[in-house]
């Protein structure tokens, strides 16, 4: 068996794409919710906030993400959001990456 860490991608109950590190590809493959994986540790993949992920109601669980939007000059502005739902509920946020900013 291969013992290398993989970054697995899955969708949560709200359909938001998430990533998690799993000990090896065999463990990733037996999980029914894993859509795909890549070799190595997760790198903070950019996940874009599609219209379907924007909602006015979010849970208060703390799984921080770094939400990225643009200021009036078009420069990227980053701020930590409590979770993916909170990031995407802000209409100015274009995408987020895993973890705090």
């Amino acid at each position: 068996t291969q013992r290398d860490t993989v970054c697995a991608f899955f969708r949560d109950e709200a359909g938001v794409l998430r990533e998690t590190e799993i000990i090896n590809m065999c463990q990733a493959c037996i999980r029914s919710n894993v859509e795909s994986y890549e070799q190595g540790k997760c790198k903070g993949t950019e996940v874009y906030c599609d219209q379907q992920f924007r909602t006015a109601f979010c849970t208060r669980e703390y799984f921080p993400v770094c939400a990225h939007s643009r200021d009036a000059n078009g420069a990227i502005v980053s701020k930590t959001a409590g979770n993916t739902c909170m990031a995407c509920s802000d209409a100015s946020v274009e995408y987020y990456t895993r973890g705090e900013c």
Side-chain angles (χ1 to χ4, degrees):
T1 60
Q2 186 171 351
R3 301 252 182 241
D4 294 345
T5 300
V6 298
C7 183
F9 301 92
F10 66 97
R11 295 202 182 270
D12 65 13
E13 299 81 25
V16 176
L17 185 65
R18 301 233 187 200
E19 59 185 27
T20 188
E21 290 177 11
I22 299 178
I23 193 166
N24 61 41
M25 68 180 177
C26 292
Q27 291 298 312
C29 289
I30 63 173
R31 294 188 182 190
S32 62
N33 64 336
V34 171
E35 293 181 8
S36 64
Y37 64 87
E38 58 187 38
Q39 296 292 338
K41 295 183 178 272
C42 296
K43 299 176 184 88
T45 303
E46 295 175 356
V47 179
Y48 286 81
C49 296
D50 294 335
Q51 204 52 26
Q52 66 184 0
F53 298 136
R54 299 203 188 270
T55 180
F57 303 103
C58 297
T59 63
R60 296 182 64 168
E61 26 182 31
Y62 190 68
F63 294 108
V65 297
C66 187
H68 305 278
S69 56
R70 294 190 185 273
D71 66 13
N73 298 320
I76 295 290
V77 177
S78 303
K79 65 180 179 181
T80 299
N83 59 45
T84 59
C85 180
M86 290 176 179
C88 289
S89 67
D90 180 342
S92 69
V93 172
E94 294 179 21
Y95 65 93
Y96 62 85
T97 52
R98 191 176 72 122
E100 295 179 7
C101 297

